[in-house]
Amino acid sequence: MSTLTDELIDVETRALEELGRVADVDALEQWRVTYQGRRHGRLPNLLERLPALPVEERREAGRQANRVRSALESAYTERRAALERAHVTQRLSAEAIDVTLPGRRAHSGGLHPTTRTLREIIEAFRPMGFRVVEGPEVEWDYYNFEALNIPADHPARDQWDTLWLDSEDDEGKRPLLLRTHTSPMQVRVMEAQQPPVRVLVPGRVFRHEATDASHESVFFQVEGLAVDRGVTFADLKGTLYTFARRMFGPDRRVRFRCDFFPFVEPGVDMAIDCFGCRGAGCRTCGQSGWLEIMGAGMVHPGVLKRVGYDPDIYTGFAFGMGPERIAMLRHGIDDIRHFYANDLGFLEQF
Ligand code: FA5
């Protein structure tokens, strides 16, 4: 028959052994109830038998009992601390940030291809002495048409149909409309100053238009105007050739053809060979092989007279170009409708 002392040592051995296998807080609690639980714990069960022992056996058993109790208590405390440490480490590693991962790049916006092109056009003309001015998108009929030799019944109004607005204060220049080109600024600039004039006018224009690969109904133009004594058609051609070389490079073909605009005399249109077909004809250029980028000409004497310039003293040239068409040529964009469709896939390429 084993003594209580033997049983105490036996319980201690098992308890410590089992404690070594305890892997989490739940199992630890289970262990505590099994060995130290007040009501049915193995150790308290043994201790209950102490008072009934004969005196000489009780002393030795009592000493062992105290030793085993404090051994189990300190083993328990140590194990609990170790489990808590492991738990914290585990949580930290689960929540850890891997600083070696490459970060996500912040998304930064960019300039719209039209804005970029406008700036490039301005930079191409700046060394030739042109300054930049802007004008109103809502314009009087007078500036958009009348002052440019396009009276109410003129057929040129058909090709420049637009939206009209009601207005109270008409100053005799009514009605109001969304400007169809930047040419009204020729008149406004000349009304406001005396020659020499050398301005560039970027801005948005509006037209009633059946849209296709090279036509939008809301688009941009850049107007140019140079007026002084002795300005000739050779100045016009030289200026625009210089521009074309700066913008498109020396090996691009440039075409001038006679064209009619009521506010110039003579008038031309300038085209660049189409990037898509190099002149053979395709959908982008409407099968013509050329992409028309601007209208131009010598300022009509009637327009000069209307703003108070003497056409016998002053002459000048003007031009109006489409920056979207220029961006199409520079970047190989096959449809002008991409520009304002707000498709990020398109816009992020610039
Ligand atoms: C004009 O608007 C004249 N004001 C240009 C001008 C100015 C002539 C000064 C003489 C002197 P036109 O309608 O051709 O002309 O347009 C000029 C340029 O704008 C065209 O060459 C083209 O590049 C661009 N453009 C015209 N219509 C559209 C359109 N619907 N969509 C995109 N670009 C267009």
Side-chain angles (χ1 to χ4, degrees), residues 116-150:
R116 282 170 182 267
T117 311
L118 287 173
R119 293 188 180 183
E120 286 163 1
I121 294 169
I122 290 166
E123 284 318 307
F125 279 103
R126 204 195 292 280
M128 294 187 270
F130 287 81
R131 73 187 167 92
V132 175
V133 292
E134 287 183 285
E137 293 176 0
V138 175
E139 186 55 281
W140 297 109
D141 178 291
Y142 176 77
Y143 290 108
N144 198 81
F145 293 128
E146 292 275 345
L148 295 170
N149 294 339
I150 312 170

Side-chain angles (χ1 to χ4, degrees), residues 144-191:
N144 198 81
F145 293 128
E146 292 275 345
L148 295 170
N149 294 339
I150 312 170
D153 54 356
H154 197 286
R157 289 206 175 207
D158 286 349
Q159 108 190 34
W160 288 317
D161 193 12
T162 183
L163 290 170
W164 302 82
L165 293 87
D166 290 332
S167 61
E168 298 276 302
D169 173 23
D170 62 14
E171 299 175 25
K173 294 170 177 173
R174 74 176 315 176
L176 275 178
L177 48 77
L178 295 185
R179 67 177 175 192
T180 61
H181 50 178
T182 42
S183 299
M185 277 304 285
Q186 290 183 31
V187 182
R188 285 182 178 274
V189 167
M190 289 191 286
E191 276 182 353

Side-chain angles (χ1 to χ4, degrees), residues 144 148 150 159-160 180-184 186 205-225 236 259-271 291-299 317-326 328 336 340:
N144 198 81
L148 295 170
I150 312 170
Q159 108 190 34
W160 288 317
T180 61
H181 50 178
T182 42
S183 299
Q186 290 183 31
V205 302
F206 310 82
R207 287 186 193 180
H208 179 80
E209 193 83 68
T211 60
D212 63 25
S214 56
H215 291 84
E216 258 294 4
S217 53
V218 178
F219 58 101
F220 279 77
Q221 282 192 341
V222 180
E223 193 81 8
L225 175 70
L236 179 157
D259 202 352
F260 175 72
F261 300 95
F263 39 95
V264 290
E265 178 58 37
V268 292
D269 79 54
M270 178 173 154
L291 220 58
E292 196 191 296
I293 59 161
M294 70 172 100
M298 300 304 290
V299 181
F317 64 83
F319 54 87
M321 69 181 82
E324 292 90 353
R325 299 257 183 102
I326 287 166
M328 288 170 78
I336 196 168
Y340 308 115

Side-chain angles (χ1 to χ4, degrees), residues 273-335:
D273 60 326
C274 176
F275 66 90
C277 56
R278 284 281 163 171
C282 68
R283 181 178 148 272
T284 307
C285 58
Q287 309 304 330
S288 72
W290 297 90
L291 220 58
E292 196 191 296
I293 59 161
M294 70 172 100
M298 300 304 290
V299 181
H300 196 285
V303 177
L304 293 175
K305 248 187 252 168
R306 205 167 282 117
V307 299
Y309 287 9
D310 183 345
D312 291 330
I313 302 174
Y314 296 110
T315 49
F317 64 83
F319 54 87
M321 69 181 82
E324 292 90 353
R325 299 257 183 102
I326 287 166
M328 288 170 78
L329 284 162
R330 300 245 308 172
H331 302 294
I333 298 163
D334 64 356
D335 197 314

Side-chain angles (χ1 to χ4, degrees), residues 27-48:
L28 182 68
E29 178 59 10
Q30 194 59 49
W31 180 91
R32 192 191 62 76
V33 172
T34 307
Y35 288 98
Q36 298 172 310
R38 237 182 240 188
R39 306 194 65 206
H40 302 292
R42 296 229 188 125
L43 187 61
N45 277 354
L46 292 183
L47 298 185
E48 262 172 27

